Amino acid sequence: MVTALSLAATSLVNAPTAATRYTAEIRRTEYGIPHVTARDHGGLGFGYGYAFAQDNLCVLASWVITLRGERSRTFGPEERSDDAVRPVDNLTSDVYYRSVAASGVIRRVLAQPPPLGPSAELRELVAGYVAGYNRYLEETGVANLPDPACRGRSWVGPITADDIWANLLDLNRMAGSSPLKEAIAGGEEPEKNEAPEKTGPPEKTGPPEKTGEEAAAPAPGSNGWALGRRATRSGHGMLLADPHFPWTGIRRFYQVQLTIPGVLDVSGGSLYGTPVVQIGHNARVAWTHTVSHAQRYTLYRLRLAGDGAHLVDGRAEPIGRQVVEVPLQDGTVARRTLYTSRYGPVLAAGRGDGYAYALADVNAANLRSADEWLAMGKARDVAGLRAAQDAHQGMAFVYTLATDVSGSATFADASAVPHVTDAQAGRCAVPSPDPSLEAYVLDGSTSACLWGRDRDAVVPGIFGPAAQPRLTRADYVANSNNSPWMTNPAAPLTSYAKVWGSSRTDVEPRPRVGLDMIARRLSGADGLGAPGFTLETLQATAQGKRNLTFEMMRADVAAVCRAHPSATASDGRRVDLREACRTLAAWDGRATLDGAGAILWREFYTGLERPHKPGEPFQQWWKVPFDPEHPLTTPRGLKRDDPYVLRSLADVVQRFASDAIPLALTPGQAQRYASVAIPGCTEAEGCFDRIRSRGRLGADGRYPDVDTGSSFMMAVELTPSGPRTRTILTYSLSANASSPHHADQTALFSRGQWVTERFTEAEIRADPRLRVTTVRG
């Protein structure tokens, strides 16, 4: 039952019936942003699930098919999955997700008491969310859904709580098992309509090949700043959240405020299909996350013993066997046999010479994160937020940066990390099956190489809070996916195990430009007025569109241009560089919509990072190499007379000319999302508010649509009288192309504008566009 009220309406909401379990009020303000209020967690989930379904039902409906392993039957086994981070073919996806479901891991976790299993409040929230989604679907009908992407489709139907738990588990596995589906499920031709006969892991060699789009799949990143009282002009805490998550699919953020009077009042970004706010604030605390450098899994090399076994401490231990059946469109069934060990799944890749490899994922059974976010939303200060994290230890792959009204700023890698000390890593290390793999490979033939235990850890095998890299300051903490050591250059963090990430290594351009932006604002050297952050200067700083690599090389490029008005391209032709040099000289180094020269620079600079010919080695073109004693100013400069540098510039100028692309091509001309011009530049260039497209610049002077980058941006100042907040959801609230909220905030983002958040009752009620709906079920 739904009753919509205008501000002038005087009619009463229909009274609940005896069967009514859930009641919630959904108030929508500018840009369709929902503010959901209920008297309990079940009602809150119901209202949220209903509101989300109104905007994005098709995305979740498709993802549920993925989580159930039904894509091959629904869309065909060879089509690509809807995983926005690392898509695979539907058959591989189905084998993986059916194996997860058949393992019973969710059932086992749900049977445990908190904090290992979900709290009663979270269970109610999930149940309500499912009921709200299903109520909207029932009332609207599949044939009448507003989104043509799934309107009338036979695969759209009700969801279950198991679907939401599966989504939460998969989110937590996003830096571990989930992106390794091919290695786990195998890429060989499956057996059809007959039971497999093999009794042990088949012999295979080498990891699966990755090519093209798959190899370049965008990984989530982020920027986060927590500013303390010494960094802000008001003396209160301020926070910048700038997560760089996909712009399509289930890993998009949905903006929402969730309120249970006297219990919870939190606003921010919530990932699709989850009933909690992941990045946000309440009246007194604000927090954000960036993707951590810590390892999320290790591989264990198994010494095979024949007869489907492997050796541990000299004794044969059986290798488990799981037959996975996947229904296909033609009515047949594809079968694959997967194998398991005490460590986790035995990979289909890398087998041979008497060895196999098992994947030990620290988040294989982690559903704790949702309760942790729920508890963080109820915290009243930084100490309370950290206590919530210590109690649950469920953050799967992110750092946490937070601040409060008092101006205390804190950073922690409070995530789940395999308990592998440096000494154990050295003692247990064995050769990797894949040289590119950035994870420890340990000897699985001895129990001495099992993950260790900490007394303060809620589950065995992870480091407890006492071992986590942490820093609390009165000025600031910052992270842009760099390792913890440069969280604040005045207090480098170095005393943590290498499994958390490296220290005294290249900070990389994006973190460097972020730290420089903070330093210039604190000194007042950025042209934005007196030193110290205000909400307005925080917004301006965050969207400055600086390109650090160009700033560092501008003088050297000018020198190259003076000395070499022409150069030889890779094909041996002589290329006139003068117009390109004039274009770069006139560019201000910012990737604004009208930044003439920004795309030319990108193509030149990123070309430096790619070999010009097959088999050509990577070139060292920095003039000054990295120096750990000067991490914020090195590497720098360009080797002015290096033939490789000249050839790179000649190649890009030649390509622009052959495709009739103007050298002054701007981001506004080259970058789009939903037909909206998008400013910004890329990670490699050292751009803070970065974007990325999956593909190269086309002959038409356009990149493929932006699919990753700044997503839910939030700048908040916490004051004793309440939070002052500005937000922008870069791809807007709804994935439905026919919705008025499909690209309305995208247009604001294009122009560098923000939305003034409405958080308090007075602010919400003051919106002249306010729409109020009461939902019951």
Side-chain angles (χ1 to χ4, degrees), residues 282 370-380 384-385 388-389 392:
N282 57 31
D371 261 316
E372 189 166 330
W373 279 310
L374 190 58
M376 289 164 61
K378 298 175 182 179
R380 296 188 56 78
L385 182 140
Q389 294 202 307
H392 296 281

Side-chain angles (χ1 to χ4, degrees), residues 19-98:
T20 298
R21 181 180 177 186
Y22 303 114
T23 301
E25 184 177 72
I26 303 168
R27 295 180 291 177
R28 290 188 182 263
T29 53
E30 300 105 320
Y31 307 100
I33 299 169
H35 308 256
V36 183
T37 303
R39 63 177 180 270
D40 53 34
H41 289 84
L44 189 66
F46 185 83
Y48 185 14
Y50 192 100
F52 177 82
Q54 288 178 306
D55 295 312
N56 295 297
L57 183 140
C58 289
V59 177
L60 184 52
S62 175
W63 187 245
V64 164
I65 298 299
T66 301
L67 294 172
R68 294 176 181 176
E70 297 176 352
R71 295 196 70 82
S72 295
R73 178 170 58 190
T74 307
F75 305 111
E78 297 179 355
E79 296 297 321
R80 305 297 280 177
S81 69
D82 58 348
D83 188 330
V85 176
R86 193 170 294 278
V88 295
D89 64 87
N90 282 338
L91 182 56
T92 298
S93 176
D94 288 346
V95 170
Y96 172 78
Y97 285 112
R98 282 179 173 259

Side-chain angles (χ1 to χ4, degrees), residues 397-579:
F397 55 86
V398 291
Y399 301 127
T400 301
L401 300 94
T403 189
D404 58 20
V405 173
S406 73
S408 178
T410 190
F411 164 91
D413 191 342
S415 60
V417 175
H419 194 297
V420 181
T421 64
D422 293 348
Q424 185 185 27
R427 184 177 69 251
C428 293
V430 295
S432 172
D434 180 355
S436 68
L437 191 68
E438 296 183 359
Y440 285 140
V441 184
L442 308 177
D443 186 355
S445 67
T446 170
S447 57
C449 295
L450 290 169
W451 294 345
R453 297 190 176 202
D454 279 348
R455 289 186 176 181
D456 59 343
V458 298
V459 292
I462 69 172
F463 283 105
Q468 296 168 352
R470 294 188 174 199
L471 183 65
T472 298
R473 303 274 300 179
D475 52 359
Y476 72 89
V477 292
N479 187 266
S480 293
N481 306 124
N482 46 307
S483 65
W485 83 294
M486 281 288 107
T487 296
N488 185 307
L493 292 170
T494 57
S495 57
Y496 49 85
K498 291 180 181 178
V499 72
W500 297 93
S502 302
S503 63
R504 297 180 60 79
T505 56
D506 191 343
V507 180
E508 300 182 348
R510 178 163 59 91
R512 278 177 63 182
V513 76
L515 292 169
D516 186 65
M517 288 156 59
I518 294 174
R520 292 190 183 197
R521 178 79 300 269
L522 295 184
S523 68
D526 59 0
L528 295 177
F533 282 94
T534 63
L535 185 59
E536 291 70 29
T537 57
L538 178 58
Q539 294 172 248
T541 302
Q543 289 194 332
K545 304 292 183 293
R546 286 176 56 187
N547 186 309
L548 184 65
T549 56
F550 182 73
E551 292 177 11
M552 291 191 293
M553 297 183 187
R554 181 196 294 267
D556 291 312
V557 170
V560 167
C561 286
R562 288 193 298 270
H564 303 280
S566 65
T568 302
S570 294
D571 64 1
R573 297 180 184 179
R574 201 70 181 168
V575 177
D576 188 334
L577 303 179
R578 288 174 296 179
E579 183 182 352

Side-chain angles (χ1 to χ4, degrees), residues 183-332:
I184 293 170
E188 73 274 12
E189 186 68 23
E191 305 160 51
K192 291 180 68 174
N193 287 331
E194 56 181 318
E197 298 175 355
K198 299 173 183 177
T199 58
E203 294 290 314
K204 295 181 69 69
T205 57
E209 295 286 335
K210 289 183 172 64
T211 59
E213 177 182 293
E214 182 181 341
S222 300
N223 301 310
W225 296 350
L227 306 175
R229 54 188 172 273
R230 293 182 182 173
T232 66
R233 294 181 66 185
S234 67
H236 305 303
M238 297 178 66
L239 183 118
L240 173 69
D242 181 19
H244 298 166
F245 261 52
W247 284 27
T248 60
I250 198 66
R251 300 301 175 222
R252 285 172 41 128
F253 284 98
Y254 184 76
Q255 188 172 355
V256 68
Q257 182 175 1
L258 301 175
T259 305
I260 302 174
V263 176
L264 175 71
D265 194 6
V266 61
S267 182
S270 171
L271 290 168
Y272 280 22
T274 70
V276 293
V277 168
Q278 278 85 17
I279 290 177
H281 70 89
N282 57 31
R284 302 185 59 82
V285 181
W287 74 91
T288 189
H289 299 296
T290 61
V291 175
S292 161
H293 268 223
Q295 296 183 33
R296 301 300 153 193
Y297 63 91
T298 64
L299 294 187
Y300 278 97
R301 189 182 69 176
L302 309 181
R303 185 185 296 275
L304 301 178
D307 297 324
H310 68 101
L311 296 176
V312 180
D313 297 334
R315 294 186 296 274
E317 192 167 288
I319 291 177
R321 185 168 173 268
Q322 182 189 47
V323 178
V324 178
E325 296 186 342
V326 178
L328 303 179
Q329 280 183 314
D330 62 5
T332 63

